[in-house]
């Protein structure tokens, strides 16, 4: 009993420290990003700042598999388990990657302005017309050499487990004839799970897997690509398969 009480107390003390340290450093980081003169400098500030914050709170980011990054444009697809995922993936990927973010994030105080300055693209899945416009823009930018990162589950739940992957990213990759880069994020759910009041200490690991190439531009090929990417991420993310709970569209 005393050891459990001590562990609980130490956990709470760490949570208070990490929350305070995060709150004191994230505002200056956001302001630096917003004030950055170029997109490249803003993304560099975001990467370095996030890495520094996570080290400060005792949750360093370990990245493996950088040798698998394609030289040309690609679509990076990662699992989603925590609000921290966007930050840590930003810290792990080169600055040539833009992020696809749900359109609601654009209105978040400070965060919305920060991610806009980092060049994210907002996607409104609830509007077919807006989604079609966004798709044409993404295809154009991929052909021009940009790369994108997206959380294909579209959301995350409190319960551990990999949800169904939405088909959009894979349809775009197939139409643009660019590879999909599977990326596995581990540890963020332990640090800051859905509904947690205080963070917990844990190392965060990002593993970049070898890219997969679309067979052709057909819808069936995009679905096969989606399933293959999801299977690889599921095998490495250390969480159960929740596909039966949330079937593919």
């Amino acid at each position: 009993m005393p050891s459990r009480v001590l562990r609980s107390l130490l956990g709470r003390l760490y949570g208070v420290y990490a929350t305070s340290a995060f709150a004191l450093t994230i505002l200056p980081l956001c302001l630096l990003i917003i004030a950055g003169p170029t997109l490249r400098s803003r993304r560099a500030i975001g990467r370095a700042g996030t890495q520094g914050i996570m080290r400060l709170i005792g949750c360093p980011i370990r990245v493996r598999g950088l040798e698998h990054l394609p030289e040309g444009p690609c679509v990076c697809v990662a699992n989603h388990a925590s609000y921290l995922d966007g930050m840590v993936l930003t810290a792990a990927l080169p600055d040539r990657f833009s992020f696809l973010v749900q359109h609601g994030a654009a209105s978040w105080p400070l965060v919305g302005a920060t991610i806009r300055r980092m060049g994210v693209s907002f996607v409104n899945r609830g509007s077919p017309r807006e989604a079609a416009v966004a798709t044409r823009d993404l295809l154009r930018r991929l052909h021009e050499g940009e790369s994108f990162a997206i959380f294909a589950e579209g959301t995350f739940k409190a319960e551990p487990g990999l949800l169904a992957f939405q088909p959009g990213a894979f349809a775009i990759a197939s139409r643009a004839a660019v590879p999909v880069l599977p990326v596995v994020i581990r540890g963020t759910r332990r640090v800051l799970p859905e509904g947690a009041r205080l963070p917990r200490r844990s190392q965060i690991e990002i593993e970049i897997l070898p890219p997969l190439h679309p067979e052709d531009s057909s819808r069936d090929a995009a679905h096969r690509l989606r399933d293959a990417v999801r299977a690889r991420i599921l095998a490495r993310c250390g969480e159960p398969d929740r596909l039966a709970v949330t079937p593919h569209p």
Side-chain angles (χ1 to χ4, degrees):
M1 178 67 73
S3 61
R4 288 200 298 270
V5 172
L6 179 60
R7 284 196 299 268
S8 176
L9 177 59
L10 291 175
R12 287 180 178 274
L13 289 174
Y14 166 78
V16 171
Y17 159 74
T19 300
S20 301
F22 188 88
L24 290 172
T25 53
I26 194 65
L27 177 58
L29 175 60
C30 289
L31 294 177
L32 283 172
I33 291 170
I34 292 171
T38 66
L39 179 60
R40 185 172 184 179
S41 68
R42 293 191 290 271
R43 288 180 174 174
I45 292 168
R47 276 203 323 278
T50 298
Q51 291 168 355
I53 289 174
M54 299 311 292
R55 285 195 296 268
L56 178 65
I57 66 173
C59 300
I61 303 170
R62 178 186 178 191
V63 183
R64 300 189 317 178
L66 287 171
E67 68 275 11
H68 297 312
L69 287 169
E71 292 185 4
C74 67
V75 176
C76 164
V77 170
N79 58 306
H80 200 10
S82 168
Y83 290 113
L84 292 174
D85 292 337
M87 288 184 61
V88 301
L89 195 56
T90 296
L93 294 176
D95 60 14
R96 65 185 173 93
F97 281 85
S98 299
F99 280 72
L100 303 184
V101 179
Q102 286 279 23
H103 71 288
S107 61
W108 293 353
L110 186 62
V111 173
T114 303
I115 60 179
R116 280 197 300 272
R117 291 287 283 167
M118 293 188 72
V120 306
S121 294
F122 295 101
V123 179
N124 183 0
R125 293 192 178 100
S127 170
R129 183 176 180 178
E130 291 184 27
V133 172
T135 296
R136 289 194 295 270
D137 181 60
L138 293 174
L139 288 169
R140 175 185 60 79
R141 291 165 67 180
L142 283 167
H143 286 305
E144 292 174 352
E146 282 194 65
S147 295
F148 291 93
I150 189 170
F151 298 107
E153 293 163 277
T155 187
F156 61 91
K157 304 292 185 181
E159 303 82 6
L162 191 68
L163 305 176
F165 279 10
Q166 302 298 318
F170 307 95
I172 291 171
S174 296
R175 290 174 61 182
V178 299
V180 173
L181 186 70
V183 173
V184 178
I185 301 175
R186 293 186 291 266
T188 56
R189 191 188 298 277
R190 173 164 177 77
V191 175
L192 192 65
E194 172 73 14
R197 294 184 177 180
L198 294 172
R200 293 176 290 187
R201 187 173 182 176
S202 177
Q203 179 171 292
I204 294 171
E205 298 180 342
I206 296 180
E207 183 178 6
I208 301 171
L209 305 178
L212 282 77
H213 296 262
E215 301 168 11
D216 53 55
S217 60
S218 69
R219 181 178 179 181
D220 287 344
H223 285 181
R224 287 193 294 272
L225 180 62
R226 173 193 64 187
D227 294 343
V229 170
R230 187 180 183 278
R232 291 198 178 186
I233 292 176
L234 178 64
R236 301 292 298 167
C237 72
E239 296 198 350
D241 187 352
R242 293 184 59 84
L243 183 58
V245 179
T246 53
H248 284 320

